[in-house]
């Protein structure tokens, strides 16, 4: 019996060495396979045979070595740490991408920053102050005003275009996330099927599953756990995404509401359209939930295209009254939640606020208005019989009418021309007051009856002035003299305090200072996002290097192992040969 037992020992050695050689060869063939994890054969004792007993225990004879498992060399704690850092790095990288794009659109990354356009406008006004009725000065002002409004509209259009591109990117990411969910479900079934008997390990399938989890972590915040049935259940933002019953995909729904946005939102269909992400806390670097490029791009894109009306300006509120304070605080809260935390929305709103301020200032100098109703007048009537005040756009406190003491163009006609016009919108409506006099009230609707604002995308240079510079209102009435006071007022108001940049700063700024502060804050945010992204990426890379030291395949080490296992195989083979010769000798020589 002991002789046959020795044969078993030798055979088990051959089998264990052959398995180790196969595993080593498999490692070598996957040196450059992405996501591959080094495998090792784990050996243990085979069963023992009892051959009698003594007072101290049983006499046992072993049957050799057994291959317990072929296992992957992997550290699940490093996997979790890597995916967390990778997810945070991609969140801030998405934010940095958005800021960089805004900088590029403003021209701050090349030789044509928007600030040059503002300086050209300022210099043209200063020249006008010297000789208001000089055709050369007028032509220069009109030329730079045209460049200013064209560039402003182009910047805003590019911001909107990039916002639309982010929306497309978000759709692509969601589709990819859902694809990864399907792949996880597929490999869950494969792994469970292979390992159902408990004899074989689906190591290569597990590598693919881990690779998918790595990629998924770049897009969304995930948590996961493997259960006894070999299935990995994955949660996205705390909600089940992949389970043993299937994949609960993220859906895209078009945003709606008062902003009429065409952008998409990420929702859970199984939870009655619940939003996947919570944006209520804004961007907070201490918030551990800010993970994944999908959430980062959603933050950067925002939910709508913003204009100056989305920025609460202090000058628009009467803070001496409780009602004014309440409304201001309400609007500030709206700004912080919906505008201030979203890179593109904030850039659009603050930039349009600047353009509206400049356009409104120049137009108000050229064609000034008086707010409220004239003394003794309670209503106006236009040529079509419409009366004012009459609706939400023409409330009594919102009525503005032309100051008839202003200068005009060389032709002396009233009302004087404005420099910048709204699309399909005349500046004034000619009306008759109930006192019998003619007035010109500021028009708030376009020719289609919709509200018309002095905002980017709705502005252009006044073509009447482009065609005839003499229509610039620098001629006093009735004296018909050159109006130096008006041209000086342009320069003075350009250098005057305009408004605060945002509710977070109460300091009022000039137009130039406003733009510079706007660019500085965007740049400061970009630097913060860049540093956070780099730090998180460095941490992820460091952890990944630690993972690779454990999981990676070293060809030198594997070749060394192959030689070792080959020697072990040869030794087992030699051992069996010796045992065979011994048995042959016993049977043939001694047995006779």
């Amino acid at each position: 019996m002991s002789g046959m037992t020795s044969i078993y020992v030798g055979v088990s050695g051959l089998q264990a060495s052959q398995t180790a050689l196969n595993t080593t060869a498999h490692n070598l063939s996957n040196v450059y396979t992405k996501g591959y994890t080094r495998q090792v054969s784990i050996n243990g004792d085979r069963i023992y045979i009892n051959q009698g007993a003594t007072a101290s225990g049983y006499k046992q004879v072993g049957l050799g070595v057994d291959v317990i498992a072929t296992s992957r060399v992997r550290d699940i704690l490093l996997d979790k740490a890597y995916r967390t850092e990778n997810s945070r790095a991609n969140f801030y990288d998405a934010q940095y991408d958005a800021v960089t794009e805004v900088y590029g659109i403003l021209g701050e990354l090349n030789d044509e920053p928007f600030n040059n356009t503002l300086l050209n406008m300022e210099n043209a006004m200063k020249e006008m102050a010297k000789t208001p009725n000089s055709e050369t000065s007028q032509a220069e002002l009109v030329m730079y005003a045209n460049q200013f409004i064209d560039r402003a509209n182009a910047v805003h259009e590019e911001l909107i275009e990039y916002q639309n591109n982010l929306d497309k990117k978000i759709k692509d990411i969601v589709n990819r996330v859902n694809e990864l969910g399907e792949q996880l479900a597929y490999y869950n079934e494969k792994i469970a099927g292979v390992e159902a008997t408990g004899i074989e390990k689906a190591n290569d399938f597990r590598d693919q599953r881990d690779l998918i989890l790595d990629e998924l972590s770049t897009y969304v915040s995930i948590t996961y756990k493997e259960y006894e049935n070999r299935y990995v259940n994955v949660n996205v933002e705390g909600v089940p995404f992949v389970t043993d019953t299937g994949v609960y995909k993220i859906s895209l729904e078009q945003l709606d509401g008062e902003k009429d946005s065409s952008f998409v939102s990420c929702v859970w269909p199984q939870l009655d359209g619940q939003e996947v992400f919570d944006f209520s806390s804004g961007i907070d670097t201490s918030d551990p939930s800010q993970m994944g490029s999908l959430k980062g791009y959603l933050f950067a894109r925002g939910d709508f295209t913003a204009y100056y009306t989305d920025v609460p300006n202090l000058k628009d509120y009467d803070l001496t009254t409780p009602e004014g304070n309440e409304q201001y605080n309400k609007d500030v809260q709206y700004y912080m939640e919906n505008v201030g935390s979203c890179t593109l929305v904030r850039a659009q709103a603050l930039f349009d606020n600047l353009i509206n301020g400049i356009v409104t200032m120049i137009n108000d100098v050229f064609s000034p208005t008086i707010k409220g109703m004239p003394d003794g007048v309670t209503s106006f009537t236009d040529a079509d019989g419409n009366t004012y005040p009459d609706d939400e756009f023409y409330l009594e406190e919102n009525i503005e009418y032309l100051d008839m003491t202003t200068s005009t163009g060389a032709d002396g006609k009233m009302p004087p021309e404005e420099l910048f016009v709204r699309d399909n919108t005349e500046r004034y409506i000619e009306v008759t007051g109930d006192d019998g006099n003619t007035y010109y009230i500021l028009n708030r609707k376009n020719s289609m009856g919709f509200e018309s604002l002095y905002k980017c995308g709705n502005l252009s240079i006044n073509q009447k002035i482009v065609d005839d510079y003499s229509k610039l209102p620098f001629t006093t009435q009735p004296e018909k003299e050159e109006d130096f006071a008006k041209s000086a007022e342009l320069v003075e108001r350009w250098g005057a305090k305009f408004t605060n940049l945002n509710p977070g700063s109460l300091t009022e700024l000039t137009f130039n200072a406003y733009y510079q502060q706007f660019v500085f804050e965007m740049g400061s945010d970009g630097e913060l996002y860049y540093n956070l992204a780099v730090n998180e990426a460095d941490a992820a890379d460091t952890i990944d290097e630690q993972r690779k030291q454990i999981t990676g395949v070293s060809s030198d080490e594997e070749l060394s192992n192959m030689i070792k296992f080959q020697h072990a195989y040869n030794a087992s083979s030699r051992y069996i040969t010796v045992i065979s010769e011994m048995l042959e000798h016993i049977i043939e020589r001694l047995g006779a």
Side-chain angles (χ1 to χ4, degrees):
M1 181 65 182
S2 61
M4 295 305 297
T5 300
S6 298
I7 291 290
Y8 294 149
V9 171
V11 170
S12 71
L14 284 175
Q15 292 173 338
S17 298
Q18 184 62 58
T19 300
L21 283 169
N22 292 340
T23 301
T24 302
H26 188 59
N27 286 340
L28 285 170
S29 66
N30 287 280
V31 170
Y32 301 109
T33 301
K34 184 179 180 180
Y36 180 78
T37 302
R38 179 167 62 93
Q39 299 177 16
V40 295
S41 295
I42 301 175
N43 298 329
D45 294 342
R46 280 197 176 186
I47 61 173
Y48 287 86
I49 298 175
N50 295 329
Q51 292 187 341
T54 65
S56 60
Y58 292 100
K59 293 181 179 180
Q60 294 182 319
V61 176
L63 296 183
V65 65
D66 192 15
V67 179
I68 299 175
T70 300
S71 179
R72 300 187 307 155
V73 182
R74 201 168 184 104
D75 189 324
I76 60 174
L77 295 179
L78 287 178
D79 283 340
K80 182 178 180 181
Y82 169 77
R83 289 161 188 162
T84 298
E85 298 298 334
N86 183 47
S87 194
R88 286 181 63 81
N90 278 273
F91 174 86
Y92 290 113
D93 193 52
Q95 297 293 317
Y96 175 67
D97 282 350
V99 173
T100 303
E101 187 68 24
V102 171
Y103 249 60
I105 291 172
L106 292 172
E108 296 299 322
L109 299 179
N110 53 46
D111 295 331
E112 296 183 2
F114 188 79
N115 189 51
N116 288 352
T117 306
L118 300 181
L119 294 176
N120 289 337
M121 280 289 293
E122 182 179 15
N123 292 333
M125 291 179 190
K126 290 178 178 178
E127 288 300 315
M128 281 290 297
K130 299 175 184 176
T131 53
N133 284 340
S134 165
E135 186 172 343
T136 301
S137 298
Q138 293 174 347
E140 186 179 59
L141 176 63
V142 173
M143 178 184 69
Y144 285 126
N146 196 23
Q147 290 179 0
F148 162 76
I149 206 64
D150 285 348
R151 181 75 190 280
N153 286 330
V155 167
H156 202 74
E157 286 174 8
E158 289 185 50
L159 289 174
I160 294 174
E161 182 180 358
Y162 180 63
Q163 199 175 24
N164 290 327
N165 289 339
L166 285 186
D167 195 56
K168 294 176 183 177
K169 181 174 287 190
I170 287 166
K171 294 176 184 177
D172 291 341
I173 292 176
V174 169
N175 291 334
R176 181 57 182 162
V177 167
N178 289 334
E179 287 176 5
L180 293 174
E182 291 177 343
Q183 292 177 22
L184 282 172
Y186 169 80
Y187 283 109
N188 275 343
E189 293 180 1
K190 283 287 187 180
I191 293 167
V194 171
E195 298 183 0
T197 61
I199 298 175
E200 189 176 353
K201 279 286 193 180
N203 290 330
D204 289 347
F205 288 152
R206 285 179 172 274
D207 286 344
Q208 291 302 310
R209 189 168 69 179
D210 280 320
L211 198 60
I212 293 169
L213 288 172
D214 283 351
E215 183 181 352
L216 188 61
S217 71
T218 67
Y219 304 127
V220 289
S221 172
I222 62 171
T223 54
Y224 52 91
K225 181 179 181 181
E226 181 175 351
Y227 290 88
E228 293 180 358
N229 60 1
R230 310 303 196 277
Y231 279 74
V232 163
N233 287 8
V234 180
N235 289 350
V236 170
E237 295 289 327
V239 175
F241 176 58
V242 178
T243 69
D244 51 3
T245 59
V247 183
Y248 297 95
K249 295 183 179 180
I250 298 174
S251 288
L252 295 170
E253 287 188 0
Q254 183 172 319
L255 290 163
D256 51 17
E258 62 179 13
K259 295 295 181 181
D260 297 321
S261 173
S262 62
F263 301 136
V264 295
S265 176
C266 301
V267 299
W268 295 113
Q270 75 274 19
L271 298 179
D272 298 325
Q274 174 184 311
E275 291 276 353
V276 174
F277 301 101
D278 178 17
F279 301 104
S280 60
S281 62
I283 296 181
D284 182 357
T285 56
S286 64
D287 186 354
S289 70
Q290 293 183 347
M291 301 169 67
S293 62
L294 179 55
K295 189 173 185 179
Y297 284 124
L298 282 165
F299 252 123
R301 184 207 65 188
D303 290 344
F304 58 92
T305 298
Y307 295 93
Y308 75 92
T309 50
D310 296 298
V311 182
N313 292 318
L314 281 171
K315 63 182 181 180
D316 298 330
Y317 301 87
D318 184 2
L319 300 182
T320 62
T321 65
E323 295 79 12
N325 272 288
E326 181 180 357
Q327 187 60 47
Y328 177 72
N329 291 330
K330 181 179 178 181
D331 292 345
V332 167
Q333 182 178 359
Y334 170 85
Y335 175 88
M336 299 302 293
E337 293 177 356
N338 299 280
V339 179
S341 60
C342 303
T343 302
L344 264 295
V345 176
R346 177 160 58 105
Q348 290 167 344
L350 296 182
F351 181 78
D352 190 57
N353 196 34
L354 172 65
I355 304 307
N356 170 262
I358 293 173
V359 167
T360 301
M361 181 277 287
I362 294 175
N363 282 347
D364 285 349
V365 172
F366 279 18
S367 187
T369 60
I370 300 173
K371 196 164 186 178
M373 300 289 288
D375 292 339
V377 178
T378 59
S379 67
F380 302 107
T381 305
D382 64 20
D384 295 326
N386 300 312
T387 60
Y388 308 89
D390 67 338
D391 62 16
E392 59 178 322
F393 297 111
Y394 297 101
L395 298 173
E396 183 172 341
E397 58 270 23
N398 292 337
I399 292 288
E400 293 183 54
Y401 63 96
L402 173 65
D403 181 358
M404 299 293 286
T405 65
T406 186
S407 300
T408 68
D411 57 11
K413 289 184 178 180
M414 285 287 185
E417 296 292 341
E418 57 183 349
L419 184 58
F420 302 104
V421 298
R422 296 161 290 173
D423 292 346
N424 304 307
T425 312
E426 295 292 337
R427 180 168 176 82
Y428 293 108
I429 303 172
E430 184 176 344
V431 294
T432 302
D434 53 12
D435 62 353
N437 293 323
T438 298
Y439 296 91
Y440 299 93
I441 63 172
L442 189 65
N443 186 14
R444 300 187 182 278
K445 296 181 182 180
N446 59 27
S447 58
M448 282 76 75
F450 298 107
E451 182 181 23
S452 184
L453 302 173
Y454 288 95
K455 64 179 183 179
C456 289
N458 193 46
L459 292 170
S460 60
I461 195 76
N462 190 335
Q463 192 59 41
K464 294 178 182 178
I465 291 179
V466 173
D467 295 337
D468 184 358
Y469 300 151
S470 70
K471 291 187 178 295
L472 285 169
F474 289 104
T475 303
T476 62
Q477 299 298 327
E479 298 86 357
K480 296 189 181 298
E481 296 177 350
E482 200 170 11
D483 193 345
F484 286 94
K486 176 160 290 191
S487 58
E489 183 183 358
L490 272 178
V491 176
E492 180 183 353
R493 292 187 61 176
W494 181 275
K497 296 298 174 88
F498 161 49
T499 186
N500 55 313
L501 181 63
N502 55 55
S505 172
L506 301 181
T507 304
E508 291 193 332
L509 306 166
T510 64
F511 293 125
N512 290 334
Y514 179 98
Y515 178 77
Q516 292 167 5
Q517 185 65 24
F518 164 56
V519 171
F520 173 79
E521 284 200 4
M522 294 296 296
S524 179
D525 287 347
E527 184 178 9
L528 173 63
Y529 298 146
Y530 173 79
N531 290 333
L532 288 169
V534 168
N535 290 339
E536 297 291 349
D538 287 346
D541 289 343
T542 300
I543 295 171
D544 195 35
E545 285 301 318
Q546 294 175 358
R547 288 202 308 174
K548 289 177 180 177
Q549 290 176 8
I550 297 173
T551 65
V553 178
S554 167
S555 56
D556 291 341
E557 182 180 353
E558 295 302 323
L559 288 172
S560 176
N561 287 338
M562 182 167 284
I563 294 172
K564 178 177 67 176
F565 296 139
Q566 183 66 49
H567 287 328
Y569 185 90
N570 293 337
S572 295
S573 177
R574 179 60 182 160
Y575 173 82
I576 292 174
T577 300
V578 171
I579 295 299
S580 176
E581 291 175 350
M582 289 175 58
L583 290 174
E584 181 181 4
H585 179 76
I586 292 172
I587 293 171
E588 293 182 358
R589 299 292 182 91
L590 302 180

